[in-house]
Amino acid sequence: MGLGLLIDVIGRYAVIGVAFALPISTALSNIFLGLVLVCWLASGQYKDKFRLFINNPIALASTVLFTWLAISLVWVDDLSYDQVHFFRKYSNLLFVSIFIWFFLDKTCRSKVIFAFSISMLLTLALSYLAAFGLLPSMSWLHATPGNATIFRLHITQNLMMSLAALIFSLFSVEAWRGGRKFLAALWGLACLLALINVMVMVQGRTGYLVVAAFIVLVFGLRAGWRGLLIAGALVCLGSFAVYEGSDSMRKRVNLAVSEYSNWQSERPVSDGNSIGSRLEFYVNSFNLVSQRPLVGYGLGSFPVEYKRQVDGTGRTPTNNPHNEALLLLVQAGIPALLLFLYLLVRLALAGRKMSLLSERVLAPALALWMGVGGVVNALLIDHAESLLFSLMMGLLAAASIASDIPRSPENGTPVTS
């Protein structure tokens, strides 16, 4: 085995390590991420890597988005820690092009999906134990009564668990088609438990929206417009059933409705009003966008500009508007938003080129995951969510071209020249 091939093998295992560590530990996932970068740089074949990047629309779109955000540093009024912080967060977009190289190996793609699934099954099991009061108090445990979070805060766990539920369902379908009915039943049960975890056991309304979007997507892919109508009916009936049957969900939905109804744009929002705060953030952010719609205020400028906007009004400053589109618009204007939307479209369309059911569904699902989640959160600056997004984008980008890449008969490495 040549040195370059050995380094690539280590890199693939490091990518698998990232997938397993992401739901559990930021520090551990960063260690594996650093190893991925080192292996990518050390394994050579830079011309092949460049060709893979330049010929892949997903990798190219994510890099162009990051580049435009980086260019916007030029018109920032005063460089500060905020610019470094936001630059580092958005740099996860660059890893899409790095991940692709290792994901050309089909086995690596399968192992990464499985590693993420195992990590989420561990989270799911511990979450149920916490919900039933069977876990002792520990420093790393985020669970509180009525909110069975484990390694991550509730929004992150809910978003990851919603994606895991979809993956479990795909595993179940594939096992059923392969005649492994018992395994299909186990993955189906895992999917059901994950959905219950999202809808009932963990606070965070973003997960509700993502699960509904996934149901519409799956039925739409399966049966077209008829499937969309069926999915719409299922979402409505399911939402009503869960609302009536779950006291915790009913309270969260009623609270959201109350906060929305009581919000008044001319009056500052009281502390603890989640929906009202978001609406206030949106209005003030729109005002900022209207003043500089074309290029924005520059990367990392949002905290300072928003504080200037609300000074003297009695409103609370914030570091982000909890909306992906608005954060991009304020920082880098309309081009940033268009590049972000283009990335999601290219990702969704990539599913048509894939052979495996799981990858065909995951491509548009991941675009929905980021798009729907980004309506009420700025996920690209949340470490776990943005890195998971980049990891899965790299996997799907590679899946869309891997069958077209010839490989060396001696060692199986990609040959793109």
Side-chain angles (χ1 to χ4, degrees):
M1 180 182 293
L3 180 60
L5 180 59
L6 177 60
I7 293 173
D8 275 342
V9 170
I10 295 172
R12 287 196 287 270
Y13 278 103
V15 173
I16 295 167
V18 172
F20 179 80
L22 257 177
I24 297 174
S25 168
T26 297
L28 185 59
S29 61
N30 281 337
I31 291 172
F32 282 119
L33 188 65
L35 182 57
V36 169
L37 178 59
V38 169
C39 290
W40 186 84
L41 291 171
S43 65
Q45 303 183 73
Y46 302 119
K47 289 183 179 179
D48 292 338
K49 291 172 180 175
F50 180 73
R51 289 190 183 95
L52 285 174
F53 156 70
I54 206 70
N55 291 323
N56 188 277
I58 297 175
L60 199 57
S62 62
T63 303
V64 171
L65 172 58
F66 173 81
T67 302
W68 175 249
L69 290 168
I71 289 172
S72 72
L73 284 168
V74 173
W75 50 85
V76 172
D77 288 341
D78 297 302
L79 296 177
S80 66
Y81 168 79
D82 288 331
Q83 278 64 51
V84 176
H85 177 72
F86 278 74
F87 185 92
R88 187 171 66 248
K89 295 293 186 180
Y90 286 122
S91 66
N92 283 335
L93 290 167
L94 295 178
F95 273 89
V96 176
S97 302
I98 295 172
F99 288 137
I100 286 178
W101 178 255
F102 301 106
F103 280 134
L104 289 175
D105 183 273
K106 182 179 179 180
T107 302
C108 181
R109 297 201 300 272
S110 299
K111 288 181 177 179
V112 159
I113 296 291
F114 190 70
F116 174 73
S117 300
I118 293 299
S119 189
M120 290 310 300
L121 285 174
L122 174 62
T123 302
L124 185 63
L126 292 176
S127 185
Y128 272 87
L129 290 175
F132 289 110
L134 300 177
L135 277 185
S137 178
M138 302 179 190
S139 58
W140 52 266
L141 184 64
H142 293 284
T144 57
N147 191 25
T149 54
I150 302 299
F151 304 109
R152 300 290 188 178
L153 297 178
H154 61 276
I155 292 177
T156 302
Q157 179 171 317
N158 243 352
L159 281 167
M160 288 188 172
M161 195 63 72
S162 63
L163 186 61
L166 177 66
I167 292 172
F168 298 160
S169 70
L170 294 172
F171 283 169
S172 180
V173 171
E174 289 178 343
W176 184 270
R177 288 181 174 179
R180 296 167 293 175
K181 295 184 179 180
F182 180 70
L183 183 60
L186 290 179
W187 282 118
L189 177 61
C191 174
L192 177 61
L193 292 175
L195 290 174
I196 293 172
N197 190 260
V198 171
M199 303 300 293
V200 177
M201 297 169 59
V202 175
Q203 296 176 9
R205 291 169 286 249
T206 308
Y208 305 163
L209 301 177
V210 172
V211 167
F214 283 170
I215 292 173
V216 172
L217 170 68
V218 170
F219 276 82
L221 291 175
R222 179 67 179 174
W225 286 107
R226 183 179 298 177
L228 292 177
L229 293 174
I230 295 172
L234 285 175
V235 168
C236 292
L237 291 174
S239 300
F240 178 77
V242 175
Y243 177 83
E244 290 296 325
S246 169
D247 185 58
S248 60
M249 182 182 183
R250 185 164 55 252
K251 287 180 179 178
R252 291 197 293 273
V253 172
N254 288 345
L255 177 62
V257 173
S258 174
E259 290 174 345
Y260 175 80
S261 301
N262 293 328
W263 177 71
Q264 298 179 17
S265 59
E266 66 276 6
R267 190 173 64 188
V269 175
S270 59
D271 291 339
N273 187 332
S274 175
I275 300 299
S277 295
R278 277 175 165 78
L279 292 172
E280 184 174 283
F281 297 158
Y282 299 165
V283 169
N284 289 317
S285 297
F286 270 120
N287 290 336
L288 287 172
V289 172
S290 66
Q291 296 168 35
R292 299 185 67 171
L294 294 181
V295 295
Y297 298 84
L299 179 66
S301 61
F302 184 88
V304 170
E305 297 300 331
Y306 190 89
K307 188 175 185 302
R308 288 175 183 168
Q309 178 78 14
V310 301
D311 269 350
T313 66
R315 291 172 169 80
T316 304
T318 182
N319 290 327
N320 78 80
H322 297 272
N323 179 279
E324 198 69 68
L326 284 173
L327 183 57
L328 291 171
L329 283 167
V330 170
Q331 293 179 102
I334 293 173
L337 177 59
L338 293 178
L339 288 170
F340 174 66
L341 294 175
Y342 176 75
L343 173 61
L344 296 185
V345 170
R346 293 302 317 196
L347 175 61
L349 293 178
R352 298 181 302 178
K353 298 182 179 180
M354 299 171 191
S355 56
L356 293 179
L357 170 67
S358 57
E359 293 171 346
R360 288 202 310 273
V361 175
L362 273 178
L366 187 65
L368 272 179
W369 186 81
M370 175 56 68
V372 173
V375 172
V376 288
N377 301 279
L379 298 181
L380 288 180
I381 61 167
D382 291 331
H383 172 78
E385 291 92 328
S386 66
L387 185 53
L388 178 60
F389 182 57
S390 294
L391 179 73
M392 292 298 180
M393 272 202 297
L395 184 151
L396 295 164
S400 69
I401 61 173
S403 59
D404 301 326
I405 302 295
R407 292 179 174 273
S408 167
E410 288 82 13
N411 54 30
T413 56
V415 178
T416 61
S417 53

